[in-house]
Amino acid sequence: MGAVAGRSYIELSELFERRRLPRGTPILLDATMRPVEPLTSWFRAMGLAGYGPGGHRGQLVWMDWELSQDGWATVVLRHTRTGITTKHLLGSAEHPRTFSFAWDAHDVVTGYAPNGDYTWTITAESVDGVPLDFTASGSFKVVRKTAPHDFNDNGSLDVLQRDSEGVLWRVDTSSYDGSLSLASRRQIGRGWQIYDRIEATGNLGGTEVGDLLARDRSGVLWLYQGNGLSGFATRIKVGTGWQIYDKIEAGSDLTNDGRADVIATDKYGGLWLYPGTGNAAKPYSARKKIGMGWGIYNELTAVGNIAGGAAGDVVARDKYGLLWQYLGKGDGTFAPRTKIGGGWNTYTSLVGVGDVTKDVRPDLVGFAADSEYLYRATGDWRAPFARAQQAWLHYPATGTTTLPEGESTENGSALVQWPGGDGDHQRFRFG
């Protein structure tokens, strides 16, 4: 223990002993290097680690404060980028001088807190409600790996919906105890009825959040870069002639270079690869033909690396409902297909959703007319998915109907619409 102005070694030793601080734990000092009174403050733990209540992967920031007299404390947390602010009153009749606060970056109701810088400020008052002349503050940062279908930069899966008036909505999800459900919903913007294909791509343009590709009815392809605030930057024209493709998939790194790639099938069954560049002005390089005979499939999904191989993988469903696995070799091509199983024609669409269960493996969601099921990746190519778990990604009270004629492309890019609430909604498959 080093010297501190105004405090002897003995005094500091007694202070640390009285508060039972672990050896080496920092306490809050003022500008003259004196321990702050009447309150000392320190972080007992900092970071996103461990397990929280219920066994879910914890994302906790632990904070402890101790008052030199009985009282109450108020802690205010603020997310710097969005301004999201929460206030927490701390106090205990049993321990009126000690305040412990475990802030969880996951809330079972509102979902995950966004990534980035946070500040905290604490004020105190006596048990009689008299404010004490004390304020302390500090900061911490929440950092997660970029999620491929995350548009508000909070690490969780987002589901896109387009209503009958062309309004696009983002529904944030929450994964708790291995389940997947809706958390919150926000309008993105109007005018999206001009597109016949909307594809979530992951980080295609070089930002830290997910992007979108949208194809208009004349075959022009547009890139919408995510801004991390649930919306997108002004669209960028990135291609023409894309009407020749009946399926477009993105979000999986097939070339093992750390960037999301795009694949597409034409009406003759040819499979084309567009390697990602990470450059928004030109997000992919010249196409390469990597296969023929892919016209036998009515569903194509880039799922990421589900089998622990060299690169991202693809699953494809044939007209008999059989699901086939194509393991990526890391050069944009695939190993010979292997059969996963039958009965997958139950679903109108299969979506590679990234790692929604926080086990470092990408997952798959199957969308049926009135239900959804989550398939967790195992990392074993011989049985790449665990048993299905029901997910809750629609509003049961509204009922469901199939899409009207002409609204979806051949591969079913639009999933389901349901009447009620604020319009008929179409859920788009993504990546």
Side-chain angles (χ1 to χ4, degrees), residues 192 194-199 201 204 211-225 234-240 242 280 283-284:
W192 290 79
I194 66 173
Y195 300 117
D196 63 5
R197 180 75 186 187
I198 299 175
E199 183 72 20
T201 64
L204 191 63
D211 305 323
L212 286 183
L213 284 177
R215 183 183 66 185
D216 66 28
R217 300 182 190 280
S218 63
V220 177
L221 194 67
W222 302 88
L223 172 67
Y224 286 84
Q225 282 191 279
T234 303
R235 68 178 187 173
I236 302 172
K237 185 177 179 179
V238 293
T240 59
W242 283 72
Y284 49 81

Side-chain angles (χ1 to χ4, degrees), residues 25-292:
T25 301
I27 64 172
L28 186 66
L29 304 177
D30 64 16
T32 65
M33 294 301 291
R34 292 175 180 269
V36 173
E37 295 293 346
L39 192 67
T40 60
S41 169
W42 63 90
F43 279 114
R44 176 155 56 91
M46 176 63 69
L48 302 180
Y51 288 82
H56 77 288
R57 184 67 179 171
Q59 303 189 75
L60 303 176
V61 175
W62 291 84
M63 289 171 272
D64 291 298
W65 297 271
E66 186 170 326
L67 203 62
S68 62
Q69 64 185 69
D70 295 354
W72 305 92
T74 300
V75 178
V76 177
L77 298 181
R78 184 179 185 276
H79 184 241
T80 304
R81 174 165 49 84
T82 63
I84 295 174
T85 302
T86 58
K87 182 180 292 187
H88 310 269
L89 179 64
L90 305 180
S92 168
E94 184 178 356
H95 302 287
R97 299 189 180 190
T98 302
F99 306 96
S100 297
F101 178 48
W103 180 75
D104 195 341
H106 175 275
D107 185 282
V108 294
V109 177
T110 61
Y112 290 92
N115 295 321
D117 295 317
Y118 287 78
T119 60
W120 60 265
T121 303
I122 183 170
T123 55
E125 61 184 43
S126 70
V127 291
D128 298 324
V130 179
L132 300 176
D133 185 18
F134 172 79
T135 300
S137 60
S139 63
F140 59 90
K141 188 171 187 176
V142 175
V143 179
R144 304 182 184 91
K145 183 179 179 180
T146 301
H149 306 293
D150 175 20
F151 304 114
N152 60 341
D153 195 27
N154 70 344
S156 68
L157 166 69
D158 294 323
V159 177
L160 300 178
Q161 303 170 344
R162 183 179 63 178
D163 66 28
S164 58
E165 297 180 351
V167 178
L168 191 68
W169 302 82
R170 180 194 59 80
V171 175
D172 202 4
T173 67
S174 176
S175 178
Y176 194 83
D177 290 342
S179 63
L180 183 64
S181 59
L182 297 175
S184 61
R185 181 169 177 265
R186 178 174 176 176
Q187 180 177 316
I188 293 176
R190 297 180 175 275
W192 290 79
Q193 72 275 9
I194 66 173
Y195 300 117
D196 63 5
R197 180 75 186 187
I198 299 175
E199 183 72 20
T201 64
N203 179 7
L204 191 63
T207 64
E208 295 183 353
V209 293
D211 305 323
L212 286 183
L213 284 177
R215 183 183 66 185
D216 66 28
R217 300 182 190 280
S218 63
V220 177
L221 194 67
W222 302 88
L223 172 67
Y224 286 84
Q225 282 191 279
N227 60 15
L229 298 171
S230 302
F232 302 92
T234 303
R235 68 178 187 173
I236 302 172
K237 185 177 179 179
V238 293
T240 59
W242 283 72
Q243 71 275 12
I244 66 173
Y245 298 119
D246 57 3
K247 301 177 186 69
I248 302 172
E249 280 294 316
S252 187
D253 177 16
L254 304 178
T255 54
N256 200 27
D257 60 0
R259 293 189 288 265
D261 302 311
V262 181
I263 55 175
T265 58
D266 61 33
K267 62 182 180 180
Y268 302 107
L271 181 66
W272 299 86
L273 168 69
Y274 288 81
T277 66
N279 180 358
K282 189 178 180 181
Y284 49 81
S285 55
R287 69 176 188 171
K288 303 175 183 178
K289 192 170 188 178
I290 58 173
M292 281 295 297

